Amino acid sequence: MIDNFALGLTHGLMMLAAFLLLRRPDLDREPSARPEDDPGA
């Protein structure tokens, strides 16, 4: 029973981490490395 609990807990935490990472709004945006796109320059 302890083995099933440990497996369930670790997999549940990994699923939670993946879900939270996939919900990030900056996931779809790539930062530009070109200096002409820099608004501060």
Short mmCIF file of all heavy atoms in Angstrom, two decimals:
data_model
loop_
_atom_site.label_atom_id
_atom_site.label_comp_id
_atom_site.label_asym_id
_atom_site.label_seq_id
_atom_site.Cartn_x
_atom_site.Cartn_y
_atom_site.Cartn_z
N MET A 1 0.82 -1.19 0.00
CA MET A 1 0.00 0.00 0.00
C MET A 1 0.86 1.26 0.00
O MET A 1 0.52 2.23 -0.65
CB MET A 1 -0.92 0.01 1.20
CG MET A 1 -1.77 1.25 1.24
SD MET A 1 -3.11 1.07 2.36
CE MET A 1 -3.35 2.76 2.79
N ILE A 2 1.97 1.22 0.71
CA ILE A 2 2.85 2.39 0.74
C ILE A 2 3.41 2.66 -0.65
O ILE A 2 3.54 3.80 -1.06
CB ILE A 2 3.99 2.17 1.76
CG1 ILE A 2 3.42 2.05 3.18
CG2 ILE A 2 5.01 3.28 1.70
CD1 ILE A 2 2.74 3.29 3.68
N ASP A 3 3.72 1.61 -1.40
CA ASP A 3 4.27 1.79 -2.74
C ASP A 3 3.25 2.48 -3.65
O ASP A 3 3.61 3.37 -4.41
CB ASP A 3 4.68 0.46 -3.35
CG ASP A 3 5.87 -0.15 -2.62
OD1 ASP A 3 6.71 0.62 -2.14
OD2 ASP A 3 5.93 -1.39 -2.54
N ASN A 4 2.00 2.08 -3.58
CA ASN A 4 0.98 2.71 -4.41
C ASN A 4 0.77 4.16 -4.00
O ASN A 4 0.57 5.03 -4.85
CB ASN A 4 -0.34 1.95 -4.30
CG ASN A 4 -0.27 0.62 -5.03
OD1 ASN A 4 0.50 0.46 -5.95
ND2 ASN A 4 -1.08 -0.31 -4.59
N PHE A 5 0.83 4.43 -2.71
CA PHE A 5 0.68 5.81 -2.24
C PHE A 5 1.84 6.66 -2.72
O PHE A 5 1.64 7.78 -3.21
CB PHE A 5 0.61 5.84 -0.72
CG PHE A 5 0.60 7.23 -0.16
CD1 PHE A 5 -0.51 8.03 -0.28
CD2 PHE A 5 1.73 7.74 0.47
CE1 PHE A 5 -0.52 9.33 0.21
CE2 PHE A 5 1.74 9.02 0.97
CZ PHE A 5 0.61 9.82 0.85
N ALA A 6 3.06 6.16 -2.63
CA ALA A 6 4.23 6.91 -3.06
C ALA A 6 4.18 7.16 -4.57
O ALA A 6 4.49 8.27 -5.03
CB ALA A 6 5.50 6.16 -2.69
N LEU A 7 3.81 6.17 -5.34
CA LEU A 7 3.70 6.35 -6.79
C LEU A 7 2.60 7.34 -7.13
O LEU A 7 2.79 8.20 -8.00
CB LEU A 7 3.43 5.01 -7.46
CG LEU A 7 4.63 4.08 -7.58
CD1 LEU A 7 4.17 2.72 -8.10
CD2 LEU A 7 5.66 4.66 -8.50
N GLY A 8 1.47 7.23 -6.48
CA GLY A 8 0.37 8.15 -6.75
C GLY A 8 0.72 9.58 -6.37
O GLY A 8 0.39 10.52 -7.09
N LEU A 9 1.39 9.74 -5.24
CA LEU A 9 1.76 11.08 -4.79
C LEU A 9 2.76 11.73 -5.74
O LEU A 9 2.58 12.87 -6.15
CB LEU A 9 2.35 11.01 -3.38
CG LEU A 9 2.82 12.33 -2.78
CD1 LEU A 9 1.64 13.26 -2.57
CD2 LEU A 9 3.56 12.09 -1.49
N THR A 10 3.79 11.02 -6.12
CA THR A 10 4.80 11.60 -7.00
C THR A 10 4.23 11.89 -8.39
O THR A 10 4.51 12.94 -8.96
CB THR A 10 6.03 10.69 -7.11
OG1 THR A 10 5.62 9.39 -7.53
CG2 THR A 10 6.75 10.57 -5.78
N HIS A 11 3.42 10.99 -8.91
CA HIS A 11 2.83 11.23 -10.23
C HIS A 11 1.82 12.38 -10.16
O HIS A 11 1.71 13.17 -11.10
CB HIS A 11 2.17 9.96 -10.76
CG HIS A 11 3.15 9.00 -11.33
ND1 HIS A 11 3.91 8.16 -10.56
CD2 HIS A 11 3.51 8.76 -12.61
CE1 HIS A 11 4.68 7.44 -11.34
NE2 HIS A 11 4.46 7.79 -12.59
N GLY A 12 1.09 12.47 -9.08
CA GLY A 12 0.16 13.58 -8.93
C GLY A 12 0.88 14.92 -8.86
O GLY A 12 0.43 15.90 -9.45
N LEU A 13 1.99 14.96 -8.16
CA LEU A 13 2.76 16.20 -8.08
C LEU A 13 3.37 16.57 -9.43
O LEU A 13 3.43 17.75 -9.79
CB LEU A 13 3.85 16.08 -7.01
CG LEU A 13 3.35 16.06 -5.57
CD1 LEU A 13 4.51 15.78 -4.62
CD2 LEU A 13 2.67 17.37 -5.21
N MET A 14 3.82 15.58 -10.19
CA MET A 14 4.34 15.86 -11.52
C MET A 14 3.24 16.37 -12.45
O MET A 14 3.47 17.28 -13.26
CB MET A 14 5.01 14.62 -12.11
CG MET A 14 6.34 14.30 -11.47
SD MET A 14 7.25 13.02 -12.33
CE MET A 14 6.28 11.58 -11.97
N MET A 15 2.05 15.80 -12.34
CA MET A 15 0.93 16.28 -13.15
C MET A 15 0.55 17.70 -12.77
O MET A 15 0.25 18.52 -13.64
CB MET A 15 -0.27 15.34 -13.00
CG MET A 15 -0.11 14.03 -13.72
SD MET A 15 -1.47 12.89 -13.48
CE MET A 15 -2.85 13.86 -14.05
N LEU A 16 0.57 18.02 -11.49
CA LEU A 16 0.28 19.37 -11.04
C LEU A 16 1.31 20.36 -11.57
O LEU A 16 0.97 21.44 -12.05
CB LEU A 16 0.24 19.42 -9.51
CG LEU A 16 0.00 20.78 -8.89
CD1 LEU A 16 -1.38 21.31 -9.25
CD2 LEU A 16 0.17 20.71 -7.39
N ALA A 17 2.59 19.99 -11.51
CA ALA A 17 3.65 20.87 -12.02
C ALA A 17 3.49 21.08 -13.53
O ALA A 17 3.63 22.20 -14.02
CB ALA A 17 5.02 20.27 -11.71
N ALA A 18 3.20 20.04 -14.28
CA ALA A 18 3.01 20.17 -15.72
C ALA A 18 1.81 21.04 -16.03
O ALA A 18 1.85 21.90 -16.93
CB ALA A 18 2.85 18.79 -16.36
N PHE A 19 0.72 20.87 -15.30
CA PHE A 19 -0.48 21.67 -15.51
C PHE A 19 -0.19 23.15 -15.24
O PHE A 19 -0.59 24.01 -16.02
CB PHE A 19 -1.60 21.16 -14.61
CG PHE A 19 -2.86 21.96 -14.70
CD1 PHE A 19 -3.65 21.90 -15.83
CD2 PHE A 19 -3.26 22.77 -13.65
CE1 PHE A 19 -4.82 22.64 -15.92
CE2 PHE A 19 -4.41 23.52 -13.73
CZ PHE A 19 -5.20 23.45 -14.86
N LEU A 20 0.50 23.45 -14.16
CA LEU A 20 0.80 24.84 -13.83
C LEU A 20 1.77 25.45 -14.84
O LEU A 20 1.64 26.63 -15.18
CB LEU A 20 1.38 24.93 -12.42
CG LEU A 20 0.40 24.62 -11.29
CD1 LEU A 20 1.11 24.63 -9.95
CD2 LEU A 20 -0.76 25.61 -11.30
N LEU A 21 2.71 24.68 -15.35
CA LEU A 21 3.64 25.19 -16.35
C LEU A 21 2.93 25.45 -17.68
O LEU A 21 3.23 26.43 -18.37
CB LEU A 21 4.79 24.22 -16.56
CG LEU A 21 5.85 24.21 -15.47
CD1 LEU A 21 6.82 23.06 -15.71
CD2 LEU A 21 6.59 25.52 -15.44
N LEU A 22 1.99 24.60 -18.04
CA LEU A 22 1.28 24.77 -19.31
C LEU A 22 0.30 25.93 -19.26
O LEU A 22 -0.09 26.45 -20.31
CB LEU A 22 0.55 23.48 -19.68
CG LEU A 22 1.46 22.35 -20.14
CD1 LEU A 22 0.66 21.07 -20.33
CD2 LEU A 22 2.16 22.73 -21.43
N ARG A 23 -0.11 26.36 -18.09
CA ARG A 23 -1.05 27.49 -17.96
C ARG A 23 -0.36 28.84 -17.98
O ARG A 23 -1.03 29.86 -17.99
CB ARG A 23 -1.82 27.37 -16.64
CG ARG A 23 -2.86 26.27 -16.67
CD ARG A 23 -3.75 26.31 -15.46
NE ARG A 23 -4.23 27.65 -15.19
CZ ARG A 23 -4.40 28.17 -13.97
NH1 ARG A 23 -4.12 27.45 -12.93
NH2 ARG A 23 -4.85 29.39 -13.79
N ARG A 24 0.97 28.86 -18.02
CA ARG A 24 1.70 30.14 -18.00
C ARG A 24 1.40 30.94 -19.26
O ARG A 24 1.45 30.41 -20.36
CB ARG A 24 3.20 29.89 -17.91
CG ARG A 24 3.63 29.38 -16.56
CD ARG A 24 5.10 29.15 -16.55
NE ARG A 24 5.81 30.36 -16.95
CZ ARG A 24 6.84 30.86 -16.30
NH1 ARG A 24 7.30 30.27 -15.25
NH2 ARG A 24 7.43 31.96 -16.73
N PRO A 25 1.11 32.24 -19.12
CA PRO A 25 0.78 33.04 -20.31
C PRO A 25 2.00 33.32 -21.20
O PRO A 25 1.84 33.56 -22.39
CB PRO A 25 0.23 34.34 -19.73
CG PRO A 25 0.77 34.42 -18.35
CD PRO A 25 0.95 32.99 -17.90
N ASP A 26 3.20 33.30 -20.66
CA ASP A 26 4.37 33.59 -21.47
C ASP A 26 4.90 32.35 -22.20
O ASP A 26 5.95 32.41 -22.83
CB ASP A 26 5.47 34.22 -20.63
CG ASP A 26 5.94 33.31 -19.51
OD1 ASP A 26 5.21 32.36 -19.16
OD2 ASP A 26 7.04 33.55 -18.97
N LEU A 27 4.18 31.27 -22.15
CA LEU A 27 4.62 30.04 -22.80
C LEU A 27 4.56 30.16 -24.32
O LEU A 27 5.38 29.59 -25.02
CB LEU A 27 3.75 28.86 -22.34
CG LEU A 27 4.18 27.47 -22.78
CD1 LEU A 27 5.52 27.12 -22.17
CD2 LEU A 27 3.15 26.45 -22.39
N ASP A 28 3.62 30.95 -24.83
CA ASP A 28 3.44 31.08 -26.27
C ASP A 28 4.28 32.19 -26.88
O ASP A 28 4.28 32.36 -28.09
CB ASP A 28 1.97 31.33 -26.59
CG ASP A 28 1.11 30.12 -26.30
OD1 ASP A 28 1.64 29.01 -26.37
OD2 ASP A 28 -0.07 30.30 -25.99
N ARG A 29 4.96 32.98 -26.09
CA ARG A 29 5.75 34.10 -26.60
C ARG A 29 7.23 33.77 -26.57
O ARG A 29 7.72 33.25 -25.58
CB ARG A 29 5.50 35.35 -25.76
CG ARG A 29 4.16 35.96 -26.05
CD ARG A 29 4.04 37.27 -25.34
NE ARG A 29 2.92 37.11 -24.42
CZ ARG A 29 2.96 37.39 -23.14
NH1 ARG A 29 4.02 37.87 -22.59
NH2 ARG A 29 1.90 37.22 -22.38
N GLU A 30 7.92 34.10 -27.65
CA GLU A 30 9.37 33.91 -27.68
C GLU A 30 10.03 35.28 -27.60
O GLU A 30 9.67 36.20 -28.33
CB GLU A 30 9.79 33.23 -28.98
CG GLU A 30 9.35 31.79 -29.07
CD GLU A 30 9.95 31.10 -30.28
OE1 GLU A 30 10.98 31.59 -30.78
OE2 GLU A 30 9.37 30.11 -30.70
N PRO A 31 11.00 35.44 -26.72
CA PRO A 31 11.69 36.73 -26.64
C PRO A 31 12.55 36.95 -27.88
O PRO A 31 13.15 36.04 -28.42
CB PRO A 31 12.55 36.61 -25.39
CG PRO A 31 12.72 35.15 -25.19
CD PRO A 31 11.49 34.49 -25.75
N SER A 32 12.58 38.19 -28.31
CA SER A 32 13.35 38.52 -29.50
C SER A 32 14.80 38.80 -29.10
O SER A 32 15.07 39.50 -28.13
CB SER A 32 12.76 39.75 -30.19
OG SER A 32 13.56 40.12 -31.27
N ALA A 33 15.72 38.27 -29.88
CA ALA A 33 17.14 38.49 -29.61
C ALA A 33 17.73 39.56 -30.52
O ALA A 33 18.90 39.87 -30.43
CB ALA A 33 17.91 37.18 -29.78
N ARG A 34 16.90 40.10 -31.41
CA ARG A 34 17.39 41.13 -32.34
C ARG A 34 17.44 42.48 -31.65
O ARG A 34 16.48 42.88 -30.98
CB ARG A 34 16.50 41.19 -33.57
CG ARG A 34 16.57 39.90 -34.37
CD ARG A 34 15.77 40.02 -35.63
NE ARG A 34 14.35 40.09 -35.23
CZ ARG A 34 13.36 40.30 -36.09
NH1 ARG A 34 13.62 40.47 -37.36
NH2 ARG A 34 12.12 40.34 -35.67
N PRO A 35 18.52 43.22 -31.80
CA PRO A 35 18.64 44.53 -31.11
C PRO A 35 17.66 45.58 -31.66
O PRO A 35 17.29 46.48 -30.95
CB PRO A 35 20.08 44.95 -31.36
CG PRO A 35 20.61 44.05 -32.40
CD PRO A 35 19.73 42.85 -32.48
N GLU A 36 17.22 45.46 -32.92
CA GLU A 36 16.31 46.47 -33.46
C GLU A 36 14.90 46.34 -32.87
O GLU A 36 14.10 47.26 -32.97
CB GLU A 36 16.23 46.41 -34.99
CG GLU A 36 15.73 45.09 -35.53
CD GLU A 36 16.83 44.11 -35.85
OE1 GLU A 36 17.97 44.34 -35.49
OE2 GLU A 36 16.52 43.09 -36.48
N ASP A 37 14.60 45.20 -32.24
CA ASP A 37 13.29 45.04 -31.60
C ASP A 37 13.30 45.53 -30.16
O ASP A 37 12.26 45.52 -29.52
CB ASP A 37 12.88 43.57 -31.62
CG ASP A 37 12.53 43.10 -33.02
OD1 ASP A 37 12.27 43.96 -33.89
OD2 ASP A 37 12.52 41.88 -33.25
N ASP A 38 14.44 45.95 -29.65
CA ASP A 38 14.54 46.40 -28.28
C ASP A 38 13.98 47.83 -28.16
O ASP A 38 14.52 48.75 -28.74
CB ASP A 38 16.00 46.37 -27.83
CG ASP A 38 16.16 46.64 -26.35
OD1 ASP A 38 15.14 46.55 -25.61
OD2 ASP A 38 17.29 46.94 -25.91
N PRO A 39 12.88 48.04 -27.41
CA PRO A 39 12.29 49.37 -27.32
C PRO A 39 13.14 50.35 -26.50
O PRO A 39 13.01 51.56 -26.65
CB PRO A 39 10.95 49.12 -26.65
CG PRO A 39 11.11 47.86 -25.90
CD PRO A 39 12.11 47.06 -26.68
N GLY A 40 14.05 49.87 -25.69
CA GLY A 40 14.87 50.75 -24.87
C GLY A 40 16.11 51.27 -25.58
O GLY A 40 16.80 52.14 -25.09
N ALA A 41 16.40 50.74 -26.75
CA ALA A 41 17.62 51.14 -27.45
C ALA A 41 17.43 52.37 -28.31
O ALA A 41 16.42 52.76 -28.70
CB ALA A 41 18.12 49.99 -28.32
#
